[in-house]
PDB file of all heavy atoms in Angstrom:
ATOM      1  N   LEU A   1      -4.981  12.151  -5.323  1.00 98.00           N
ATOM      2  CA  LEU A   1      -5.614  11.032  -4.588  1.00 98.00           C
ATOM      3  C   LEU A   1      -4.795  10.868  -3.315  1.00 98.00           C
ATOM      4  O   LEU A   1      -3.606  10.544  -3.320  1.00 98.00           O
ATOM      5  CB  LEU A   1      -5.471   9.720  -5.526  1.00 98.00           C
ATOM      6  CG  LEU A   1      -6.011   9.879  -6.945  1.00 98.00           C
ATOM      7  CD1 LEU A   1      -5.759   8.544  -7.646  1.00 98.00           C
ATOM      8  CD2 LEU A   1      -7.549  10.191  -6.802  1.00 98.00           C
ATOM      9  N   LYS A   2      -5.515  10.927  -2.136  1.00 98.00           N
ATOM     10  CA  LYS A   2      -4.842  10.918  -0.881  1.00 98.00           C
ATOM     11  C   LYS A   2      -5.348   9.690  -0.036  1.00 98.00           C
ATOM     12  O   LYS A   2      -6.523   9.497   0.063  1.00 98.00           O
ATOM     13  CB  LYS A   2      -5.160  12.246  -0.117  1.00 98.00           C
ATOM     14  CG  LYS A   2      -4.578  13.427  -0.808  1.00 98.00           C
ATOM     15  CD  LYS A   2      -4.713  14.683   0.028  1.00 98.00           C
ATOM     16  CE  LYS A   2      -6.135  15.256  -0.104  1.00 98.00           C
ATOM     17  NZ  LYS A   2      -6.235  16.521   0.629  1.00 98.00           N
ATOM     18  N   SER A   3      -4.304   9.044   0.487  1.00 98.00           N
ATOM     19  CA  SER A   3      -4.619   7.956   1.519  1.00 98.00           C
ATOM     20  C   SER A   3      -4.667   8.526   2.864  1.00 98.00           C
ATOM     21  O   SER A   3      -4.113   9.665   3.156  1.00 98.00           O
ATOM     22  CB  SER A   3      -3.480   6.939   1.450  1.00 98.00           C
ATOM     23  OG  SER A   3      -3.403   6.380   0.135  1.00 98.00           O
ATOM     24  N   SER A   4      -5.322   7.798   3.781  1.00 97.00           N
ATOM     25  CA  SER A   4      -5.428   8.331   5.197  1.00 97.00           C
ATOM     26  C   SER A   4      -4.408   7.536   6.044  1.00 97.00           C
ATOM     27  O   SER A   4      -4.301   7.753   7.206  1.00 97.00           O
ATOM     28  CB  SER A   4      -6.786   8.190   5.740  1.00 97.00           C
ATOM     29  OG  SER A   4      -7.288   6.849   5.747  1.00 97.00           O
ATOM     30  N   ASN A   5      -3.646   6.583   5.376  1.00 97.00           N
ATOM     31  CA  ASN A   5      -2.555   5.915   5.997  1.00 97.00           C
ATOM     32  C   ASN A   5      -1.287   6.750   5.671  1.00 97.00           C
ATOM     33  O   ASN A   5      -1.025   6.819   4.516  1.00 97.00           O
ATOM     34  CB  ASN A   5      -2.496   4.452   5.524  1.00 97.00           C
ATOM     35  CG  ASN A   5      -1.389   3.704   6.102  1.00 97.00           C
ATOM     36  OD1 ASN A   5      -0.402   4.235   6.688  1.00 97.00           O
ATOM     37  ND2 ASN A   5      -1.473   2.330   6.112  1.00 97.00           N
ATOM     38  N   PRO A   6      -0.523   7.212   6.736  1.00 96.00           N
ATOM     39  CA  PRO A   6       0.606   8.055   6.385  1.00 96.00           C
ATOM     40  C   PRO A   6       1.691   7.291   5.670  1.00 96.00           C
ATOM     41  O   PRO A   6       2.671   7.938   5.164  1.00 96.00           O
ATOM     42  CB  PRO A   6       1.116   8.468   7.833  1.00 96.00           C
ATOM     43  CG  PRO A   6       0.465   7.584   8.759  1.00 96.00           C
ATOM     44  CD  PRO A   6      -0.785   7.100   8.099  1.00 96.00           C
ATOM     45  N   HIS A   7       1.733   5.937   5.615  1.00 96.00           N
ATOM     46  CA  HIS A   7       2.678   5.249   4.807  1.00 96.00           C
ATOM     47  C   HIS A   7       2.538   5.336   3.339  1.00 96.00           C
ATOM     48  O   HIS A   7       3.412   4.878   2.587  1.00 96.00           O
ATOM     49  CB  HIS A   7       2.651   3.790   5.253  1.00 96.00           C
ATOM     50  CG  HIS A   7       3.079   3.508   6.596  1.00 96.00           C
ATOM     51  ND1 HIS A   7       2.270   3.261   7.636  1.00 96.00           N
ATOM     52  CD2 HIS A   7       4.335   3.462   7.157  1.00 96.00           C
ATOM     53  CE1 HIS A   7       2.871   3.095   8.800  1.00 96.00           C
ATOM     54  NE2 HIS A   7       4.265   3.265   8.549  1.00 96.00           N
ATOM     55  N   TYR A   8       1.468   5.946   2.858  1.00 97.00           N
ATOM     56  CA  TYR A   8       1.241   6.097   1.411  1.00 97.00           C
ATOM     57  C   TYR A   8       1.290   7.573   1.072  1.00 97.00           C
ATOM     58  O   TYR A   8       0.556   8.456   1.701  1.00 97.00           O
ATOM     59  CB  TYR A   8      -0.106   5.485   0.997  1.00 97.00           C
ATOM     60  CG  TYR A   8      -0.153   4.032   1.258  1.00 97.00           C
ATOM     61  CD1 TYR A   8      -0.591   3.530   2.377  1.00 97.00           C
ATOM     62  CD2 TYR A   8       0.209   3.156   0.323  1.00 97.00           C
ATOM     63  CE1 TYR A   8      -0.734   2.191   2.656  1.00 97.00           C
ATOM     64  CE2 TYR A   8       0.210   1.786   0.523  1.00 97.00           C
ATOM     65  CZ  TYR A   8      -0.312   1.299   1.699  1.00 97.00           C
ATOM     66  OH  TYR A   8      -0.390   0.009   1.893  1.00 97.00           O
ATOM     67  N   LYS A   9       2.053   7.953   0.073  1.00 97.00           N
ATOM     68  CA  LYS A   9       2.144   9.336  -0.413  1.00 97.00           C
ATOM     69  C   LYS A   9       1.038   9.690  -1.325  1.00 97.00           C
ATOM     70  O   LYS A   9       0.529   8.833  -2.056  1.00 97.00           O
ATOM     71  CB  LYS A   9       3.417   9.552  -1.090  1.00 97.00           C
ATOM     72  CG  LYS A   9       4.668   9.451  -0.223  1.00 97.00           C
ATOM     73  CD  LYS A   9       5.939   9.731  -0.971  1.00 97.00           C
ATOM     74  CE  LYS A   9       7.152   9.674  -0.082  1.00 97.00           C
ATOM     75  NZ  LYS A   9       8.456   9.974  -0.812  1.00 97.00           N
ATOM     76  N   PRO A  10       0.563  10.973  -1.283  1.00 97.00           N
ATOM     77  CA  PRO A  10      -0.421  11.368  -2.260  1.00 97.00           C
ATOM     78  C   PRO A  10      -0.012  11.174  -3.708  1.00 97.00           C
ATOM     79  O   PRO A  10       1.216  11.307  -3.956  1.00 97.00           O
ATOM     80  CB  PRO A  10      -0.734  12.918  -1.926  1.00 97.00           C
ATOM     81  CG  PRO A  10      -0.147  12.979  -0.560  1.00 97.00           C
ATOM     82  CD  PRO A  10       0.949  12.016  -0.382  1.00 97.00           C
ATOM     83  N   MET A  11      -0.995  10.953  -4.576  1.00 97.00           N
ATOM     84  CA  MET A  11      -0.651  10.785  -6.018  1.00 97.00           C
ATOM     85  C   MET A  11      -1.332  11.892  -6.776  1.00 97.00           C
ATOM     86  O   MET A  11      -2.635  12.014  -6.733  1.00 97.00           O
ATOM     87  CB  MET A  11      -1.114   9.440  -6.503  1.00 97.00           C
ATOM     88  CG  MET A  11      -0.425   8.237  -5.841  1.00 97.00           C
ATOM     89  SD  MET A  11      -1.087   6.670  -6.532  1.00 97.00           S
ATOM     90  CE  MET A  11      -2.724   6.616  -5.900  1.00 97.00           C
ATOM     91  N   LEU A  12      -0.633  12.702  -7.551  1.00 98.00           N
ATOM     92  CA  LEU A  12      -1.183  13.664  -8.397  1.00 98.00           C
ATOM     93  C   LEU A  12      -1.366  13.041  -9.779  1.00 98.00           C
ATOM     94  O   LEU A  12      -0.333  12.746 -10.441  1.00 98.00           O
ATOM     95  CB  LEU A  12      -0.315  14.908  -8.451  1.00 98.00           C
ATOM     96  CG  LEU A  12      -0.852  16.082  -9.291  1.00 98.00           C
ATOM     97  CD1 LEU A  12      -2.206  16.559  -8.727  1.00 98.00           C
ATOM     98  CD2 LEU A  12       0.087  17.254  -9.318  1.00 98.00           C
ATOM     99  N   ILE A  13      -2.617  12.926 -10.261  1.00 97.00           N
ATOM    100  CA  ILE A  13      -2.857  12.314 -11.529  1.00 97.00           C
ATOM    101  C   ILE A  13      -3.443  13.311 -12.487  1.00 97.00           C
ATOM    102  O   ILE A  13      -4.411  13.964 -12.114  1.00 97.00           O
ATOM    103  CB  ILE A  13      -3.808  11.160 -11.373  1.00 97.00           C
ATOM    104  CG1 ILE A  13      -3.379  10.186 -10.240  1.00 97.00           C
ATOM    105  CG2 ILE A  13      -4.144  10.411 -12.582  1.00 97.00           C
ATOM    106  CD1 ILE A  13      -2.076   9.558 -10.473  1.00 97.00           C
ATOM    107  N   PRO A  14      -2.953  13.462 -13.657  1.00 96.00           N
ATOM    108  CA  PRO A  14      -3.546  14.320 -14.658  1.00 96.00           C
ATOM    109  C   PRO A  14      -5.000  14.130 -14.945  1.00 96.00           C
ATOM    110  O   PRO A  14      -5.465  12.896 -14.910  1.00 96.00           O
ATOM    111  CB  PRO A  14      -2.753  14.197 -15.980  1.00 96.00           C
ATOM    112  CG  PRO A  14      -1.479  13.502 -15.455  1.00 96.00           C
ATOM    113  CD  PRO A  14      -1.846  12.704 -14.324  1.00 96.00           C
ATOM    114  N   TYR A  15      -5.750  15.187 -15.096  1.00 93.00           N
ATOM    115  CA  TYR A  15      -7.261  15.050 -15.377  1.00 93.00           C
ATOM    116  C   TYR A  15      -7.320  14.156 -16.666  1.00 93.00           C
ATOM    117  O   TYR A  15      -6.511  14.174 -17.532  1.00 93.00           O
ATOM    118  CB  TYR A  15      -7.832  16.370 -15.701  1.00 93.00           C
ATOM    119  CG  TYR A  15      -7.978  17.218 -14.443  1.00 93.00           C
ATOM    120  CD1 TYR A  15      -7.156  18.326 -14.214  1.00 93.00           C
ATOM    121  CD2 TYR A  15      -9.058  16.896 -13.534  1.00 93.00           C
ATOM    122  CE1 TYR A  15      -7.322  19.061 -13.031  1.00 93.00           C
ATOM    123  CE2 TYR A  15      -9.188  17.668 -12.434  1.00 93.00           C
ATOM    124  CZ  TYR A  15      -8.318  18.713 -12.172  1.00 93.00           C
ATOM    125  OH  TYR A  15      -8.517  19.442 -10.968  1.00 93.00           O
ATOM    126  N   GLY A  16      -8.309  13.310 -16.664  1.00 93.00           N
ATOM    127  CA  GLY A  16      -8.585  12.455 -17.800  1.00 93.00           C
ATOM    128  C   GLY A  16      -8.005  11.004 -17.549  1.00 93.00           C
ATOM    129  O   GLY A  16      -8.295  10.080 -18.402  1.00 93.00           O
ATOM    130  N   GLU A  17      -7.052  10.842 -16.644  1.00 95.00           N
ATOM    131  CA  GLU A  17      -6.416   9.504 -16.455  1.00 95.00           C
ATOM    132  C   GLU A  17      -7.130   8.750 -15.312  1.00 95.00           C
ATOM    133  O   GLU A  17      -6.855   7.557 -15.159  1.00 95.00           O
ATOM    134  CB  GLU A  17      -4.966   9.751 -16.154  1.00 95.00           C
ATOM    135  CG  GLU A  17      -4.193  10.171 -17.309  1.00 95.00           C
ATOM    136  CD  GLU A  17      -2.697  10.241 -17.138  1.00 95.00           C
ATOM    137  OE1 GLU A  17      -2.171   9.528 -16.224  1.00 95.00           O
ATOM    138  OE2 GLU A  17      -2.004  10.926 -17.897  1.00 95.00           O
ATOM    139  N   VAL A  18      -7.988   9.447 -14.525  1.00 95.00           N
ATOM    140  CA  VAL A  18      -8.727   8.877 -13.476  1.00 95.00           C
ATOM    141  C   VAL A  18     -10.154   8.751 -13.789  1.00 95.00           C
ATOM    142  O   VAL A  18     -10.785   9.715 -14.295  1.00 95.00           O
ATOM    143  CB  VAL A  18      -8.527   9.693 -12.128  1.00 95.00           C
ATOM    144  CG1 VAL A  18      -9.303   9.054 -10.991  1.00 95.00           C
ATOM    145  CG2 VAL A  18      -7.077   9.742 -11.785  1.00 95.00           C
ATOM    146  N   LEU A  19     -10.744   7.573 -13.523  1.00 95.00           N
ATOM    147  CA  LEU A  19     -12.151   7.353 -13.823  1.00 95.00           C
ATOM    148  C   LEU A  19     -12.910   7.257 -12.418  1.00 95.00           C
ATOM    149  O   LEU A  19     -12.493   6.464 -11.679  1.00 95.00           O
ATOM    150  CB  LEU A  19     -12.415   6.078 -14.633  1.00 95.00           C
ATOM    151  CG  LEU A  19     -13.879   5.670 -14.807  1.00 95.00           C
ATOM    152  CD1 LEU A  19     -14.593   6.743 -15.624  1.00 95.00           C
ATOM    153  CD2 LEU A  19     -13.896   4.322 -15.451  1.00 95.00           C
ATOM    154  N   ALA A  20     -13.818   8.155 -12.230  1.00 96.00           N
ATOM    155  CA  ALA A  20     -14.559   8.122 -10.940  1.00 96.00           C
ATOM    156  C   ALA A  20     -15.628   7.038 -11.071  1.00 96.00           C
ATOM    157  O   ALA A  20     -16.441   6.975 -11.986  1.00 96.00           O
ATOM    158  CB  ALA A  20     -15.269   9.497 -10.663  1.00 96.00           C
ATOM    159  N   VAL A  21     -15.610   6.071 -10.093  1.00 96.00           N
ATOM    160  CA  VAL A  21     -16.655   5.115 -10.034  1.00 96.00           C
ATOM    161  C   VAL A  21     -17.833   5.631  -9.092  1.00 96.00           C
ATOM    162  O   VAL A  21     -18.955   5.466  -9.458  1.00 96.00           O
ATOM    163  CB  VAL A  21     -16.017   3.725  -9.400  1.00 96.00           C
ATOM    164  CG1 VAL A  21     -17.194   2.749  -9.262  1.00 96.00           C
ATOM    165  CG2 VAL A  21     -14.999   3.264 -10.379  1.00 96.00           C
ATOM    166  N   GLY A  22     -17.480   6.107  -7.892  1.00 97.00           N
ATOM    167  CA  GLY A  22     -18.551   6.644  -7.043  1.00 97.00           C
ATOM    168  C   GLY A  22     -17.885   7.025  -5.656  1.00 97.00           C
ATOM    169  O   GLY A  22     -16.727   7.005  -5.488  1.00 97.00           O
ATOM    170  N   VAL A  23     -18.879   7.514  -4.859  1.00 98.00           N
ATOM    171  CA  VAL A  23     -18.549   7.985  -3.546  1.00 98.00           C
ATOM    172  C   VAL A  23     -18.759   6.813  -2.468  1.00 98.00           C
ATOM    173  O   VAL A  23     -19.816   6.203  -2.578  1.00 98.00           O
ATOM    174  CB  VAL A  23     -19.389   9.227  -3.146  1.00 98.00           C
ATOM    175  CG1 VAL A  23     -19.197   9.719  -1.710  1.00 98.00           C
ATOM    176  CG2 VAL A  23     -19.121  10.364  -4.108  1.00 98.00           C
ATOM    177  N   VAL A  24     -17.819   6.736  -1.540  1.00 98.00           N
ATOM    178  CA  VAL A  24     -17.989   5.719  -0.480  1.00 98.00           C
ATOM    179  C   VAL A  24     -19.051   6.341   0.504  1.00 98.00           C
ATOM    180  O   VAL A  24     -18.762   7.347   1.172  1.00 98.00           O
ATOM    181  CB  VAL A  24     -16.699   5.398   0.210  1.00 98.00           C
ATOM    182  CG1 VAL A  24     -16.863   4.432   1.343  1.00 98.00           C
ATOM    183  CG2 VAL A  24     -15.706   4.814  -0.845  1.00 98.00           C
ATOM    184  N   ASP A  25     -20.175   5.679   0.621  1.00 96.00           N
ATOM    185  CA  ASP A  25     -21.273   6.111   1.447  1.00 96.00           C
ATOM    186  C   ASP A  25     -21.160   5.430   2.880  1.00 96.00           C
ATOM    187  O   ASP A  25     -21.445   6.065   3.868  1.00 96.00           O
ATOM    188  CB  ASP A  25     -22.669   5.829   0.920  1.00 96.00           C
ATOM    189  CG  ASP A  25     -23.104   6.950   0.005  1.00 96.00           C
ATOM    190  OD1 ASP A  25     -22.423   7.910  -0.131  1.00 96.00           O
ATOM    191  OD2 ASP A  25     -24.170   6.825  -0.493  1.00 96.00           O
TER     192      ASP A  25
END
């Protein structure tokens, strides 16, 4: 999970711990 603000580090989350809600259109 990557932010586009450089102040936030990417987060590597194991499969199964993240629930996809949807795509930002």
Side-chain angles (χ1 to χ4, degrees):
L1 305 177
K2 298 187 277 185
S3 299
S4 61
N5 180 339
H7 290 105
Y8 298 92
K9 293 182 180 182
M11 298 181 289
L12 181 60
I13 309 298
Y15 288 105
E17 291 186 21
V18 177
L19 174 65
V21 176
V23 174
V24 176
D25 273 359

